[in-house]
Amino acid sequence: MNKIIVIIAGLLLSVAMFAQYPDAHVKEGLKKTSRPEIRDVVSGTLWVDAEDFADYGGWYHDTQFIYLMGSGYLLAPGMGTPVADAVTNVTLSEGGKYTLWIRSRNWHPEKTPGTFKVKVGDKMSALCGNDESDKWTWQKAGVFRLKAGNVELRLIDETGYYGRCDVLVLTKDASFVPPKQDEMVAARAKYTELELKPVKHDGFDVIVVGGGPAGTSAAIAAARQGARTALIQDRPVLGGNSSDEFSVNMNGAGNKNAFSVEGGIINEAMLITSRDNKKGSFSAAYMQLAEAEPNLSLFLNTRVDGVIMENDEKIKGVKALHTLDGTRAEFFGGTFIDCTGDGWLGYYAGAEFRVGREARSEFNEKPAPEVADKITMSASLNSEGGPFMVQTDKKVAYTAPNWAVNLPIPLHRNIIGYNIRPWWVEYPGTVDDVWEGEFARDYQLRITYAYADYLKNHWKKKDDTENVKLNNVGIFLGRRESRRLIGDYILTWNDVAIEGRWFDDIITHYGWPTDIHHPKGIFSGKEGPFDCNYSVRMGGGIPYRCIYSKNISNLLMAGRNVSVSHYALGTTRIMMTCATLGQAAGTAAAMCAEYDLTPRGVGQKKIKELQQRLLKEDQFIPRIKNEDAADLALKATATASSKMDPVDYNCEYALTKDSKHVKLTTTTVKCANGQLQALGTLHFMLDNQQGKDVDVILTIATSSENESIENLSPVVKIPVTIPAGFKGALPVKVNREIKREFFVIRFEGNAPRVFWKTKRQILPNIRSYKVEEGMEIEHTMYVPNFYAIPSLDDRFDFGASNVINGKTRYWLNDGSVNMWMSNPEETLPQWVQLAWDKTQTISEVRLVFDTNMNRTWFKELNVPERVSDYEIQALIDGAWKTIAKETGNIQRLRIHKMDPVKANKIRVLVTKTWGDKAARIFEVRVY
């Protein structure tokens, strides 16, 4: 349905514009939609905010540090080439001699890289941006004799290196004293008639502050649960680091672990993005989802900068500044969610928080320092402008500007190419990139230009860069860590990396390693880019107690600002994980309104209901399955037109024409044991190209360590002969008990021309390791692959009953597939059916399809396993009647609501997939 997006000052951005002009709309979204005539409200003094210029030219309206200086400003990001002039016209009510004052900043006084001039009418000002201070200061830029009436002003960039201008004042008043930082708002109101009385917005059940993956997911979740929700976002688009502005790849648990891609709202956005926007930004998808929710009001370009407290422990409302025109607003609601990343809402409300690294003694975390400190992971520069460096048709010389930093040579880094700027191009973690945010961004600029010089002049492959030029530096500071708000529980590194701890109030899973960057950043040399990068133990998750404030009664939080230790943050800060935290927070906030509870009260009284609501919306929670008493499907009997044979699936069906080969004796496969008690027969897809029979030894051992193929306990060694020319599935009888958490399979012997075949389909929790003589063990995760299966194990049953077993993906902890899959030898359509002993009244059917939760979205956009066309049919008066129909489906979770139908049988008839021969469905729910 169409939805009006409410924006202070009337800024309205359409979804269509997002999809067609991702670069242009960001810049346009940072311009005022309506400007008052620029005139001297106070006779003899004209105040001009740089962002009020009619034409920005090549200057950019930078609002990301508005919390530090109170307004946006114009920035000249020309990468060494002066940008086009910003131009506007002003009206003077009287002529005379005017002094020009400029508020600007010399961002690196030692070299003064970013200077500019102002052309007033036909005369030029003195050089600006060259003050001795590195703070925002006022400069007297000249005296001009002007006539009454129209006067043109031009900002003329001199260097292309990030000159910046905030305000211009033309005044005849010889006694005029430029305002100080804390006087700027009052001065702006005085000289421009800026209205400072806030517009009030009330009646919200839930107010979400921050529109990144966590905040957008939180707001959509709350709205879908029936809560009147406001989403307040300080940028012109949604998506945070995954937006059109930043364009950072959306990573999560699925990047590092089989069948672990996050579900729920982030999965919806992911599938929309992979279809519509090959660039990788989630802004358009998020807007599409937000716009569809009638309970959601969206406020873009709106920065929360304070709170209104009901008492010391409860927030009543938030104060906000419109980042484009300086107008004010206040929002009032019941429950608040801090998704700002930096914990701003909690900070303003007095929520307990911490910054930096805990001492090792506090949580006994192995990587932690002996003494606590304030070191955080540093930020990266991002933008939507394309590759870092690009090829040209001629040689391009490059020398870093004199203000760039001096990098160590060599860098001791694995550089994979010149077209990307690696994540480890970053400043040391001692920089406070919240309170020194603009300095941090500028420091990163100095490092980035030095890195470009390194690639061109010092890299061991510098010859490859002869024709390469700098293309995209970026200006947006993408932070990784700042404040972490404290909840009733602090998740620790031991919880995620050692124990894989499961909690009774678990709300989501994790899977990214405990990825903590080196405190010295790019200057760490041989110590490498990581402080810590241990893999996590799968099967655990994040408890609800980490996402509500310990001391502010109606505050939840989601994103990288949740209640975790510095070293646990390495896994929880990743965007797809943050999105699932947001969905949990939004759902819980809606329950606060529904039941008149605090967030803590939801955890104490309604945690099982919260978990079930999240499952219903396809959020994966380890070890929690559907137990919804209202779901009629749980009381039904399931049958199907056909089902996949597990041995065929594992041995033949999963191979493709482009299946890769890996050497038999240099590869080790590690499998999660789950609930398996014994190995029966293993089938190995092998190809003997050696020209003779080959004798090898199959070794099976066990391990209790998640991320290691060392310290193994041997179980059995079995001689195996691979016939000459053999190509296919070789069965090997094992028949041994397995008593530990993982088992490892490897072949030993001389078999240089015998290969395992990798496969398009794999089964749960498989890791692969490549071991070659003289090389260290390398974790490779061949994505996707699997080489052998215990094919007699009933875990791999693809029968119809899987759609009502309460599990909606391959489970890592027990290895079960939990999916109905039709026999690919049987042509479509294929169906799965639910039947009841008595007639049921049906008004809603929910389906969960297979979108292959083993692949990361940005690597493979098409999902052949996904169902495209289907019908939901009910048996009415002895005949099958279609009650819902869909074509071209791209989503995993589909919800079909219909007028009540009475039937004792329904079925889902799959008529087309996106390429696979088999129909696949994880779950059918009926209400």
Side-chain angles (χ1 to χ4, degrees):
M1 64 180 294
N2 292 327
K3 169 102 169 80
I4 295 176
I5 305 300
V6 182
I7 311 292
I8 300 176
L11 178 64
L12 177 62
L13 303 179
S14 71
V15 174
M17 185 164 66
F18 282 6
Q20 296 173 24
Y21 307 106
D23 294 343
H25 93 266
V26 172
K27 202 165 183 179
E28 289 301 313
L30 286 166
K31 292 183 178 180
K32 294 183 182 179
T33 55
S34 60
R35 292 180 176 83
E37 179 188 10
I38 302 176
R39 60 185 180 85
D40 45 359
V41 173
V42 175
S43 180
T45 299
L46 179 78
W47 178 292
V48 184
D49 284 310
E51 57 266 34
D52 277 337
F53 270 54
D55 181 0
Y56 290 172
W59 294 70
Y60 191 87
H61 184 193
D62 192 353
T63 64
Q64 62 185 314
F65 307 114
I66 200 168
Y67 66 95
L68 292 174
M69 56 177 297
S71 67
Y73 57 85
L74 291 191
L75 179 77
M79 294 192 300
T81 300
V83 304
D85 299 350
V87 184
T88 200
N89 287 282
V90 301
T91 302
L92 296 176
S93 62
E94 54 187 79
K97 188 171 68 173
Y98 284 82
T99 299
L100 174 65
W101 289 90
I102 300 293
R103 189 169 190 248
S104 63
R105 185 181 182 206
N106 184 357
W107 61 272
H108 188 55
E110 291 180 14
K111 302 295 181 181
T112 309
T115 57
F116 63 96
K117 293 180 180 178
V118 180
K119 191 173 184 181
V120 182
D122 59 357
K123 295 183 179 180
M124 198 71 72
S125 75
L127 193 66
C128 302
N130 60 345
D131 192 82
E132 293 180 357
S133 170
D134 67 348
K135 308 300 181 185
W136 282 93
T137 58
W138 289 93
Q139 291 180 265
K140 189 180 290 188
V143 177
F144 301 83
R145 188 165 292 280
L146 303 171
K147 295 180 180 180
N150 184 65
V151 178
E152 183 186 80
L153 301 179
R154 283 182 175 268
L155 286 181
I156 302 174
D157 178 26
E158 291 286 308
T159 66
Y161 283 134
Y162 312 97
R164 54 204 72 178
C165 180
D166 178 29
V167 180
L168 305 86
V169 173
L170 284 166
T171 182
K172 294 173 64 178
D173 183 357
S175 64
F176 176 81
V177 177
K180 299 176 182 178
Q181 175 66 54
D182 59 359
E183 300 169 338
M184 287 293 293
V185 173
R188 185 173 283 113
K190 174 182 177 180
Y191 291 110
T192 67
E193 296 184 321
L194 172 66
E195 176 59 67
L196 296 181
K197 182 179 179 180
V199 177
K200 297 185 184 298
H201 303 271
D202 55 21
F204 293 111
D205 298 314
V206 177
I207 294 178
V208 181
V209 182
T216 306
S217 297
I220 292 170
R224 287 180 177 179
Q225 294 290 324
R228 295 161 297 177
T229 305
L231 174 56
I232 306 172
Q233 161 72 330
D234 63 356
R235 306 305 305 162
V237 292
L238 297 174
N241 280 348
S242 65
S243 71
D244 288 343
E245 291 186 303
F246 288 77
S247 296
V248 177
N249 282 332
M250 183 75 79
N251 292 323
N255 293 77
K256 303 294 181 179
N257 301 278
F259 300 101
S260 296
V261 173
E262 289 75 2
I265 292 167
I266 187 59
N267 198 268
E268 290 181 61
M270 175 184 73
L271 292 169
I272 293 170
T273 299
S274 65
R275 178 194 65 188
D276 297 344
N277 185 350
K278 303 304 185 290
K279 179 181 175 182
S281 163
F282 275 52
S283 291
Y286 276 140
M287 181 60 81
Q288 178 180 327
L289 294 175
E291 198 172 34
E293 297 305 322
N295 289 323
L296 177 57
S297 298
L298 174 61
F299 300 85
L300 295 176
N301 289 317
T302 305
R303 173 86 188 192
V304 168
D305 59 4
V307 295
I308 302 163
M309 300 295 290
E310 186 167 310
N311 54 52
D312 289 346
E313 298 179 350
K314 186 175 182 180
I315 304 170
K316 182 178 181 180
V318 296
K319 302 175 182 179
L321 168 71
H322 194 273
T323 61
L324 303 189
D325 62 20
T327 54
R328 306 286 310 175
E330 294 176 350
F331 300 82
F332 298 89
T335 301
F336 296 79
I337 310 179
D338 188 335
C339 299
T340 61
D342 296 323
W344 282 110
L345 178 54
Y347 171 77
Y348 294 134
E352 185 178 333
F353 70 91
R354 57 175 60 185
V355 175
R357 305 187 297 180
E358 292 85 358
R360 186 176 302 169
S361 59
E362 181 170 2
F363 299 121
N364 195 31
E365 295 173 310
K366 179 181 177 181
E370 292 295 333
V371 179
D373 55 41
K374 297 299 182 183
I375 287 175
T376 60
M377 282 182 285
S378 58
S380 292
L381 281 184
N382 300 99
S383 80
E384 81 285 4
F388 178 52
M389 304 182 89
V390 294
Q391 280 280 359
T392 69
D393 58 2
K394 59 183 179 182
K395 291 185 178 181
V396 180
Y398 178 81
T399 302
N402 62 2
W403 43 263
V405 302
N406 293 317
L407 293 179
I409 297 174
L411 278 177
H412 298 288
R413 293 290 191 273
N414 179 27
I415 299 173
I416 61 176
Y418 57 76
N419 61 322
I420 63 172
R421 174 179 42 203
W423 54 264
W424 41 257
V425 177
E426 54 188 354
Y427 47 78
T430 51
V431 174
D432 183 344
D433 51 22
V434 174
W435 292 116
E436 298 176 357
E438 191 177 6
F439 166 81
R441 189 271 307 277
D442 296 339
Y443 193 179
Q444 193 71 319
L445 287 172
R446 297 177 61 212
I447 291 172
T448 299
Y449 281 89
Y451 178 67
D453 182 271
Y454 183 88
L455 292 177
K456 292 283 290 183
N457 302 310
H458 304 286
W459 184 29
K460 64 182 179 181
K461 296 182 180 180
K462 64 182 181 181
D463 291 347
D464 294 346
T465 69
E466 279 191 346
N467 293 2
V468 167
K469 71 172 184 178
L470 192 61
N471 176 67
N472 176 31
V473 171
I475 61 170
F476 296 112
L477 191 68
R479 297 185 188 89
R480 294 183 174 90
E481 179 184 6
S482 51
R483 302 183 191 95
R484 305 187 305 280
L485 304 179
I486 302 304
D488 279 351
Y489 186 79
I490 299 176
L491 190 73
T492 71
W493 182 84
N494 291 333
D495 289 333
V496 299
I498 302 299
E499 297 180 40
R501 188 174 176 185
W502 189 89
F503 300 87
D504 288 339
D505 61 338
I506 186 173
I507 49 171
T508 188
H509 72 300
Y510 48 70
W512 191 262
T514 52
D515 169 5
I516 301 294
H517 297 191
H518 198 290
K520 296 178 183 177
I522 198 171
F523 304 99
S524 62
K526 292 183 178 180
E527 295 176 20
F530 291 107
D531 178 19
C532 169
N533 194 33
Y534 290 86
S535 293
V536 295
R537 292 292 296 270
M538 297 302 289
I542 303 171
Y544 175 65
R545 286 164 292 160
C546 289
I547 69 166
Y548 63 83
S549 171
K550 180 179 181 179
N551 65 309
I552 303 298
S553 64
N554 60 339
L555 176 63
L556 289 138
M557 55 270 194
R560 60 180 172 84
N561 57 349
V562 298
S563 184
V564 298
S565 73
H566 168 80
Y567 285 94
L569 180 67
T571 187
T572 63
R573 67 182 175 84
I574 301 303
M575 283 191 284
M576 293 190 77
T577 303
C578 289
T580 65
L581 292 170
Q583 183 160 352
T587 305
M591 292 174 65
C592 290
E594 182 177 342
Y595 292 116
D596 192 23
L597 291 171
T598 64
R600 180 180 285 111
V602 169
Q604 292 172 342
K605 299 179 180 180
K606 298 288 182 179
I607 189 61
K608 292 190 181 300
E609 181 178 338
L610 173 60
Q611 291 167 335
Q612 288 298 313
R613 289 195 188 198
L614 290 170
L615 284 182
K616 188 175 181 180
E617 300 299 326
D618 196 35
Q619 178 139 314
F620 174 62
I621 307 176
R623 305 188 199 179
I624 302 292
K625 66 178 185 178
N626 174 21
E627 296 177 346
D628 186 353
D631 180 8
L632 299 175
L634 296 179
K635 305 176 181 67
T637 300
T639 55
S641 53
S642 67
K643 75 171 183 176
M644 181 70 196
D645 179 84
V647 175
D648 290 343
Y649 175 85
N650 291 307
C651 294
E652 299 293 343
Y653 175 72
L655 293 177
T656 59
K657 292 180 180 179
D658 60 349
S659 291
K660 297 179 181 179
H661 289 59
V662 294
K663 291 182 179 179
L664 180 66
T665 56
T666 63
T667 302
T668 297
V669 175
K670 187 167 192 174
C671 311
N673 182 19
Q675 296 177 347
L676 187 66
Q677 299 300 313
L679 290 177
T681 298
L682 299 180
H683 290 76
F684 297 93
M685 293 303 298
L686 303 181
D687 185 356
N688 184 355
Q689 300 177 14
Q690 204 152 317
K692 62 179 181 178
D693 291 355
V694 175
D695 294 321
V696 292
I697 300 295
L698 170 63
T699 299
I700 296 176
T702 58
S703 170
S704 60
E705 299 181 27
N706 183 36
E707 190 66 28
S708 172
I709 55 172
E710 299 176 336
N711 303 319
L712 302 177
S713 301
V715 173
V716 65
K717 289 180 178 286
I718 302 173
V720 176
T721 297
I722 306 167
F726 180 84
K727 188 175 183 179
L730 182 71
V732 179
K733 292 183 179 180
V734 178
N735 299 325
R736 289 292 192 280
E737 290 186 353
I738 300 295
K739 296 182 178 180
R740 301 183 74 183
E741 189 174 355
F742 299 94
F743 63 91
V744 170
I745 302 169
R746 63 164 57 125
F747 285 91
E748 299 170 354
N750 184 24
R753 297 291 298 162
V754 179
F755 302 94
W756 281 10
K757 285 183 138 184
T758 67
K759 304 171 74 172
R760 175 168 63 89
Q761 307 291 339
I762 70 174
L763 288 171
N765 208 17
I766 310 304
R767 297 181 186 273
S768 303
Y769 298 79
K770 182 178 180 182
V771 186
E772 293 186 353
E773 186 175 356
M775 294 178 59
E776 294 182 358
I777 294 172
E778 174 190 352
H779 176 252
T780 59
M781 260 301 288
Y782 299 108
V783 179
N785 76 86
F786 189 57
Y787 310 89
I789 55 96
S791 58
L792 301 181
D793 178 15
D794 62 7
R795 288 186 302 170
F796 303 148
D797 178 28
F798 291 93
S801 62
N802 284 336
V803 302
I804 55 173
N805 75 354
K807 306 174 185 179
T808 59
R809 65 169 69 198
Y810 296 152
W811 266 29
L812 301 182
N813 64 301
D814 68 5
S816 54
V817 295
N818 306 316
M819 175 178 64
W820 167 65
M821 180 177 176
S822 69
N823 186 342
E825 300 302 319
E826 301 287 336
T827 58
L828 298 177
Q830 293 288 307
W831 51 261
V832 63
Q833 173 182 290
L834 301 184
W836 294 268
D837 294 336
K838 298 179 181 179
T839 298
Q840 307 292 325
T841 301
I842 298 166
S843 58
E844 179 179 326
V845 177
R846 290 175 172 245
L847 306 174
V848 177
F849 296 111
D850 182 13
T851 53
N852 196 335
M853 305 301 269
N854 188 58
R855 65 181 74 199
T856 50
W857 75 274
F858 53 86
K859 291 183 178 179
E860 298 182 63
L861 301 180
N862 185 39
V863 185
E865 300 90 346
R866 178 175 49 194
V867 168
S868 172
D869 302 353
Y870 62 92
E871 298 179 27
I872 302 173
Q873 300 178 331
L875 190 64
I876 302 173
D877 298 329
W880 289 105
K881 295 185 179 180
T882 298
I883 57 176
K885 185 176 182 179
E886 185 70 31
T887 59
N889 168 60
I890 65 165
Q891 290 294 349
R892 172 176 151 87
L893 171 64
R894 294 306 307 263
I895 303 170
H896 294 276
K897 296 184 178 182
M898 65 277 299
D899 292 334
V901 173
K902 293 186 179 297
N904 70 338
K905 289 183 181 180
I906 68 164
R907 69 180 183 182
V908 182
L909 184 73
V910 176
T911 58
K912 183 182 178 183
T913 71
W914 285 89
D916 200 272
K917 294 181 179 180
R920 302 158 180 255
I921 299 177
F922 274 109
E923 183 175 61
V924 180
R925 290 189 183 216
V926 181
Y927 296 91

